[in-house]
Amino acid sequence: MIVFLFGFILLFITVLQAFTPKLLKQTEAFGVYVPEQYAKEQTIIAYKKRYTAVVLTLGIILLAVYIIWALTQSPTEETLSLFSIGVQFCILFIGLGYYFMMHVRVKRLKEEQGWTTGKKEVRVVDLQFQAKLQLIPRIVFIIPMIITVGLIIYTFMKYAQMPDMIPTHWGPSGQPDAFSEKTYFSVVSMPLILLVMQGMFLMMSEGMKFAGAKINPANKKTSVSQQLAFRKYSSWFALFMAITMTLMMGYFHLQTIHPEIGSAWVMFALPLVFLVLTFLAVGIYIVKVGQSGSRLKIEEDSPSLEDKIAVDDDKYWKGGIIYINKDDPSILVEKRFGIGWTLNFGRPLSWIVLFGPLILILVIAFSL
């Protein structure tokens, strides 16, 4: 069962990586801006097909080797988990390595064919864009955080009744395999981590309010509609993750206070259900929405293929993945390769947003 669970995760990662180029808007290819006039360049289409074929093939080969090894060698759960993580990183590195190869090729093609030469760069601004946003209200994200604070208070109330050793980790079988001595800090470590993660989802939703919209000057109406829908669905996805994570981690914590409500079967099944629901949500999100709402069916206006193009900001994208622009007030920016958002590392606040929660989680985890 565990072998096929890890196998499913590996397959999901492989398929997601392989088909990523097909989920992005046509004006971006392997982290490079492509003007509307060249969006259907045959060389770019060939590069995307080749990337999908190579990553998918190598990923499936690795997956097959992993399953054969796991079924024939009968490794322990710990060895299986470590090997599975190693294979996952291998698949990620394969996709990332081939991505950089394609990034260099598309960038060279852009320079050789002079896609931006002689074109007037235009930055389109919709002054009503913020008013049109349909994000989840802030209070909806705060409610799970209030519940978590209540759980922390309840834990302190029940402190005397809790066991002397608190489980802090559960193995694939659902049985606890790591414990920490009971202290006022250790008993609330899990709710504290949950609170930090809830805060991250809140910041993600709030950050989209102030993220600049990259509107395509050749297709303004469609671009605005897709951008608005992309933010709306991203906000709903963040809320879904916050709620499901609160339910799962809240139950884990409650069973340390009330062991009678816990069972090995539930502890095994709950993370599995959470994982399946997360994969389903991610799958629906990327297939229905795509990056920047590119897969949403919008009544398109007629593209204008004049000598006007969007502002070419390739210089701010390092490798097409890391965005550094100190003149851009946005903290969150849309990814160029992949689905979702990344940070503008040209703004000091972005470093706090990235490392602040990470440091808090590590401090809590290593203090146990």
Side-chain angles (χ1 to χ4, degrees):
M1 179 66 178
I2 296 176
V3 173
F4 292 106
L5 173 60
F6 283 128
F8 174 73
I9 296 173
L10 294 174
L11 179 61
F12 184 86
I13 293 173
T14 299
V15 172
L16 179 60
Q17 277 206 127
F19 288 96
T20 292
K22 300 181 182 297
L23 302 172
L24 308 179
K25 53 187 178 182
Q26 293 184 339
T27 52
E28 289 173 1
F30 299 103
V32 179
Y33 167 62
V34 180
E36 187 82 25
Q37 299 91 322
Y38 304 94
K40 296 184 179 180
E41 168 72 34
Q42 289 302 311
T43 305
I44 294 179
I45 295 174
Y47 284 164
K48 291 180 178 179
K49 289 181 177 179
R50 191 182 308 169
Y51 176 89
T52 298
V54 170
V55 174
L56 190 61
T57 301
L58 293 178
I60 290 177
I61 291 174
L62 272 176
L63 175 61
V65 171
Y66 163 78
I67 292 177
I68 293 173
W69 170 82
L71 294 178
T72 57
Q73 299 300 314
S74 300
T76 63
E77 286 186 358
E78 183 178 354
T79 302
L80 182 62
S81 299
L82 290 174
F83 193 81
S84 300
I85 294 173
V87 175
Q88 289 176 29
F89 274 107
C90 284
I91 293 175
L92 290 173
F93 283 132
I94 287 173
L96 187 62
Y98 203 58
Y99 158 81
F100 279 118
M101 290 177 58
M102 291 302 179
H103 172 77
V104 172
R105 291 179 183 180
V106 173
K107 196 171 182 179
R108 185 186 303 126
L109 181 67
K110 179 179 179 178
E111 294 174 353
E112 291 174 351
Q113 296 189 359
W115 291 349
T116 58
T117 303
K119 306 290 193 305
K120 182 179 180 180
E121 296 184 9
V122 178
R123 188 182 302 278
V124 179
V125 178
D126 185 343
L127 298 179
Q128 301 299 316
F129 188 82
Q130 302 294 331
K132 297 175 185 176
L133 286 171
Q134 297 178 324
L135 304 180
I136 302 297
R138 184 185 308 159
I139 185 61
V140 179
F141 283 91
I142 294 176
I143 290 174
M145 300 178 73
I146 294 174
I147 293 173
T148 302
V149 172
L151 187 59
I152 292 173
I153 296 172
Y154 179 74
T155 303
F156 287 139
M157 293 171 60
K158 295 291 184 178
Y159 180 81
Q161 302 174 24
M162 298 179 69
D164 293 332
M165 298 300 292
I166 305 297
T168 55
H169 186 270
W170 290 262
S173 63
Q175 296 288 349
D177 55 11
F179 297 84
S180 179
E181 184 179 353
K182 182 176 74 171
T183 64
Y184 282 105
F185 178 78
S186 66
V187 295
V188 294
S189 59
M190 187 177 295
L192 286 175
I193 292 175
L194 175 59
L195 195 60
V196 173
M197 297 176 75
Q198 291 167 335
M200 292 171 64
F201 289 120
L202 172 61
M203 286 191 294
M204 174 183 170
S205 183
E206 288 296 300
M208 286 187 284
K209 294 180 181 179
F210 310 101
K214 306 295 183 182
I215 301 174
N216 183 0
N219 222 339
K220 301 175 187 177
K221 182 179 177 181
T222 300
S223 183
V224 170
S225 298
Q226 289 179 333
Q227 291 265 341
L228 290 169
F230 177 59
R231 283 162 167 75
K232 180 180 72 173
Y233 286 115
S234 295
S235 183
W236 275 101
F237 179 74
L239 178 63
F240 170 81
M241 292 301 300
I243 291 175
T244 54
M245 196 163 291
T246 299
L247 292 173
M248 182 182 69
M249 295 182 69
Y251 174 81
F252 280 178
H253 182 70
L254 280 175
Q255 67 87 36
T256 64
I257 303 174
H258 301 285
E260 65 275 9
I261 69 172
S263 70
W265 185 87
V266 174
M267 296 300 289
F268 170 77
L270 194 58
L272 182 60
V273 171
F274 170 76
L275 190 65
V276 171
L277 288 177
T278 299
F279 281 160
L280 283 175
V282 171
I284 293 172
Y285 178 71
I286 62 178
V287 171
K288 177 179 175 59
V289 181
Q291 182 61 2
S292 298
S294 58
R295 295 184 61 83
L296 293 169
K297 301 300 181 182
I298 305 292
E299 185 178 349
E300 297 188 2
D301 45 339
S302 301
S304 173
L305 301 181
E306 302 174 355
D307 289 339
K308 295 180 180 179
I309 61 174
V311 174
D312 184 0
D313 56 357
D314 280 0
K315 62 183 179 180
Y316 300 118
W317 286 92
K318 309 307 177 184
I321 295 179
I322 301 174
Y323 183 71
I324 304 176
N325 184 1
K326 64 181 181 179
D327 297 322
D328 186 347
S330 301
I331 301 300
L332 281 182
V333 291
E334 298 174 19
K335 287 183 177 180
R336 277 202 167 184
F337 192 80
I339 307 299
W341 302 81
T342 186
L343 293 169
N344 174 13
F345 291 100
R347 308 293 296 181
L349 183 57
S350 295
W351 294 93
I352 298 175
V353 170
L354 175 63
F355 289 107
L358 180 61
I359 291 173
L360 283 173
I361 291 175
L362 290 176
V363 168
I364 294 170
F366 285 101
S367 296
L368 298 177

